[in-house]
């Protein structure tokens, strides 16, 4: 006996518009939805010391806000930066065109960020 594949739009909460969006992901049936797996698994449970960070990987970092600054680039992009430190080093967390974040972070505040670690003259995480 062959199973009948149920169209995704008959699932509660999925109508014609949402089914169109899902179809762009090649999800046409409920079975397709069940087998649609995430691209990657992000383990946000293990805090990594700054000295142990691996460039190019997404990692969880915990530290104290040492300094905040906002500046503009030549093409007028606004950059907000937080210097984040732990007992082993410093990493710079950078957000583009979000100067309002300066009201969010206070010097001495302990925070946890998650992002891709990069090296541009120094350790940096963009939009963590």
């Amino acid at each position: 006996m062959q199973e009948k594949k149920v169209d995704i739009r008959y699932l509660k909460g999925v109508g014609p518009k949402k089914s169109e969006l899902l179809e762009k992901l090649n999800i046409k049936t409920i079975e397709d939805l069940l087998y649609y797996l995430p691209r990657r698994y992000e383990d946000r449970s293990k805090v990594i010391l700054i000295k142990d960070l691996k460039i190019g990987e997404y990692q969880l970092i915990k530290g104290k806000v040492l300094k905040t600054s906002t500046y503009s680039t030549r093409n007028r992009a606004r950059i907000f930066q937080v210097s984040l430190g732990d007992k082993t080093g410093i990493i710079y967390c950078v957000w583009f065109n979000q100067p309002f974040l300066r009201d969010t972070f206070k010097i001495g505040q302990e925070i946890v960020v998650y992002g891709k670690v990069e090296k541009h003259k120094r350790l940096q995480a963009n939009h963590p």
Side-chain angles (χ1 to χ4, degrees):
M1 187 169 175
Q2 199 170 10
E3 288 183 33
K4 180 181 174 191
K5 296 197 176 196
V6 180
D7 192 306
I8 193 72
R9 71 181 145 193
Y10 296 115
L11 184 64
K12 184 176 175 137
V14 178
K17 284 192 178 201
K18 196 164 279 186
S19 71
E20 282 178 29
L21 293 172
L22 290 169
E23 197 165 316
K24 289 179 183 178
L25 297 171
N26 206 24
I27 300 172
K28 299 173 186 161
T29 66
I30 293 174
E31 182 182 19
D32 293 338
L33 182 62
L34 289 172
Y35 287 104
Y36 186 77
L37 302 174
R39 283 185 292 164
R40 70 176 184 257
Y41 172 74
E42 296 179 353
D43 183 2
R44 295 185 182 195
S45 65
K46 185 179 178 190
V47 176
I48 308 293
L49 293 174
I50 291 172
K51 73 174 181 73
D52 297 328
L53 293 173
K54 293 185 178 109
I55 295 168
E57 291 189 17
Y58 286 85
Q59 296 174 315
L60 188 70
I61 309 156
K62 182 178 181 180
K64 280 193 178 176
V65 174
L66 305 175
K67 183 180 175 186
T68 64
S69 57
T70 306
Y71 58 93
S72 296
T73 63
R74 282 185 231 154
N75 62 357
R76 296 190 178 149
R78 303 278 298 158
I79 295 176
F80 173 69
Q81 177 178 278
V82 170
S83 301
L84 184 64
D86 68 9
K87 61 187 175 192
T88 66
I90 296 174
I91 188 168
Y92 297 88
C93 301
V94 178
W95 289 267
F96 301 96
N97 295 316
Q98 296 184 36
F100 59 88
L101 288 175
R102 79 175 148 255
D103 299 330
T104 305
F105 299 98
K106 308 290 181 233
I107 293 175
Q109 177 184 24
E110 197 164 283
I111 63 170
V112 176
V113 295
Y114 180 83
K116 186 176 183 181
V117 177
E118 299 175 349
K119 186 146 187 162
H120 303 280
K121 297 182 185 176
R122 58 191 182 180
L123 281 180
Q124 180 174 312
N126 296 332
H127 292 272

